[in-house]
Amino acid sequence: KASRVVPTKVHQGLAAGCVVVTSDTAPQRRVAPVAEFVPAGDAEALADRLEELVSDGQLTKSSAAARDHASEHLAAHAVVRPLVERLGGEDAGQPAGDPPLTLRAWLRHDLILDGLAPLTPASRLLEVGAGQGAMAVRLARRFDYTGVEGDVHAAATAAARLEAAAVPHRFHQAMFEDAPIEGPYDAVCAFEVLEHIEDDELALRGWRELLAPGGLLALSVPAWQERFGPSDVAVGHFRRYSPDGLRSLLAATGYEDVEITLYGFPLGWALEAVHNRLAGGGTHEEDEAIEERTAASGRLYQPSSRLTARATELATIPFRWMQRWTPDERWATGIVATARRPQ
């Protein structure tokens, strides 16, 4: 058996960014070409190779190669990609072309693209919390895209969609703080993410550090704390934001040129009423439960077929125009904001 399989510990070691020394077998060379190989059962060869790695300074270089290879080929989303393509591709009723957006995502879609208009096709863009990749594919068609998603299930779908779209991209199934990403980026995006983070000020400072001087932050968040309801609890929100509060938060965390756009009336009201009714009267539980609800939030209310996806897009068209003339900003249900890291 040992000559025919790749042990789990080899996967784990590479994913942890460790140098892995293992037996020289065909399966391991195929799956883990960045590992260090020695003849099976040869204790002296193993000891010699370990001494060489320590003495000639290869550990740092080999460790980086191991981590990069694991992220690209051995992470959960990469391992299950063939299965996801079989179960979640065209044969499963997914729409052709760009993946489907939810009703609420369509309401903010045009505003997000408006905010990203200053970027060029060569701009390096990082999306934090890519979810199931519906927006990721659209961004990857326009920019030099890198995505990060912590939920294993959502990340698998996102990775498969990016692959199916045949667009250049880099994608990591990892929590943001653990992802192997390096700036500077021309833009950092986080759509419906900030409200899920307990220390939102710390998150904004971390995203700013990944931006090039003058780089663009684009984000969307739910509006008005007084609208906080059962559906917010159900998906792991810590808070909602007012325009002035978000503007002050961005200024306090080192951003300038803040632009705020409110959206969502009247369709957003109807959607929130339905979501609150479905969510019931849930309350916050321990941190682990909040994390689980957050992870699942990106999989909710997704169109399930090509027909429903197309109907969702068409149904939102009039509302995407109507919301630009909201009579009272208190009637909005969401905010799209952009800001810049100072030069």
Side-chain angles (χ1 to χ4, degrees):
K1 176 184 175 184
S3 67
R4 299 176 60 187
V5 302
V6 179
T8 300
K9 59 187 138 184
V10 172
H11 284 252
Q12 294 171 338
L14 293 172
C18 297
V19 176
V20 173
V21 184
T22 187
S23 57
D24 192 353
T25 65
Q28 299 213 96
R29 280 197 175 274
R30 176 173 57 84
V31 173
V34 296
E36 301 287 339
F37 298 105
V38 296
D42 190 334
E44 289 187 3
L46 174 59
D48 289 344
R49 188 65 189 119
L50 292 174
E51 285 189 340
E52 292 171 2
L53 285 169
V54 174
S55 63
D56 64 11
Q58 291 188 40
L59 282 176
T60 301
K61 181 179 179 181
S62 298
S63 175
R67 184 174 59 251
D68 291 345
H69 177 80
S71 176
E72 182 69 22
H73 300 287
L74 303 181
H77 68 270
V79 172
V80 303
R81 185 179 298 136
L83 178 61
V84 171
E85 289 174 352
R86 290 287 298 275
L87 298 181
E90 291 288 334
D91 293 339
Q94 294 293 340
D98 290 340
L101 292 170
T102 63
L103 284 166
R104 196 162 185 271
W106 271 119
L107 292 180
R108 59 180 177 265
H109 170 269
D110 302 343
L111 304 176
I112 289 171
L113 294 186
D114 288 347
L116 297 176
L119 300 179
T120 70
S123 297
R124 296 188 69 210
L125 181 145
L126 170 68
E127 184 183 16
V128 180
Q132 292 191 323
M135 197 66 192
V137 171
R138 291 166 169 82
L139 294 175
R141 293 194 193 281
R142 293 171 169 83
F143 310 111
D144 182 0
Y145 177 85
T146 298
V148 177
E149 171 56 45
D151 178 52
V152 172
H153 306 289
T157 300
R161 285 172 165 175
L162 286 162
E163 290 291 334
V167 289
H169 67 277
R170 286 163 297 280
F171 189 81
H172 307 285
Q173 189 276 301
M175 300 304 292
F176 170 75
E177 58 270 20
D178 300 324
I181 52 178
E182 294 183 2
Y185 291 94
D186 300 299
V188 172
C189 301
F191 307 125
E192 307 303 290
V193 173
L194 192 62
E195 65 275 12
H196 292 277
I197 301 174
E198 187 168 11
D199 193 340
D200 53 357
E201 182 174 334
L202 180 65
L204 287 168
R205 293 185 187 276
W207 298 343
R208 186 199 63 203
E209 292 306 306
L210 287 172
L211 283 170
L216 183 70
L217 172 74
L219 55 83
S220 67
V221 293
W224 306 115
Q225 182 62 24
E226 56 264 36
R227 297 188 63 84
F228 195 96
S231 64
D232 293 285
V233 176
V235 297
H237 289 177
F238 283 97
R239 71 195 74 78
R240 297 170 74 111
Y241 295 84
S242 69
D244 289 342
L246 183 59
R247 187 177 285 106
S248 297
L249 177 63
L250 289 168
T253 50
Y255 295 89
E256 62 183 17
D257 298 334
V258 179
E259 297 287 342
I260 299 287
T261 304
L262 290 132
Y263 75 93
F265 181 81
L267 182 58
W269 276 56
L271 292 175
E272 285 195 353
V274 172
H275 294 170
N276 282 328
R277 184 67 179 269
L278 292 174
T283 58
H284 279 297
E285 300 175 10
E286 65 273 13
D287 290 344
E288 182 178 2
I290 293 175
E291 292 173 358
E292 291 171 357
R293 295 197 297 271
T294 293
S297 63
R299 306 193 297 269
L300 293 174
Y301 312 119
Q302 299 290 327
S304 58
S305 69
R306 185 178 305 172
L307 179 61
T308 56
R310 183 60 174 162
T312 297
E313 179 181 0
L314 294 175
T316 60
I317 290 175
F319 297 103
R320 286 150 66 185
W321 285 99
M322 291 169 62
Q323 68 185 1
R324 293 175 182 262
W325 295 280
T326 301
D328 187 324
E329 65 176 15
R330 290 279 173 178
W331 295 357
T333 59
I335 299 173
V336 171
T338 60
R340 290 191 179 275
R341 178 175 180 169
Q343 289 284 352

